[in-house]
Structures are given as C-alpha cells and as structure tokens.
Amino acid sequence: MDTPATYLNWNFILISIPNLLMIAGMIVVFLVALVAPFPRHAEVVESEDGRDA
C-alpha cells in the first residue's frame, strides 16, 4: 500500500494492474451470470379430472 501501483501503457490506454484485474473480474462474473441457469418453478401436474394435483 505504500508503493505506487504498476501501470500498463498501450498507446492511448494507461491503466493500473489492480484496476485491470478488477475489470477482468467483473467481466468474468458477468459472463458467468449469462450462462448460469436460472432457477425454475416446478411444473404443475394436472390430474385427469382437470384439477391440479
């Protein structure tokens, strides 16, 4: 904490390593949220007389 962060410099992009890691982590969490299945409700089964079981 008492030393300055290391920076990456690509032409017009100047970003610190800790900030780059945070952005990468947020992108990973976002992608996992996109592909993770949502919980589903149990299907309602109807009996032969038309009432819910």
Side-chain angles (χ1 to χ4, degrees):
M1 298 287 289
D2 58 346
T3 59
T6 304
Y7 284 85
L8 292 177
N9 186 4
W10 295 309
N11 296 331
F12 61 93
I13 297 174
L14 178 66
I15 189 166
S16 68
I17 299 291
N19 284 344
L20 184 63
L21 292 175
M22 282 298 292
I23 292 169
M26 289 188 296
I27 291 171
V28 167
V29 169
F30 177 74
L31 292 175
V32 168
L34 285 178
V35 298
F38 287 104
R40 297 183 180 181
H41 296 288
E43 294 184 21
V44 176
V45 178
E46 293 186 16
S47 60
E48 291 181 13
D49 60 358
R51 295 182 303 177
D52 294 339

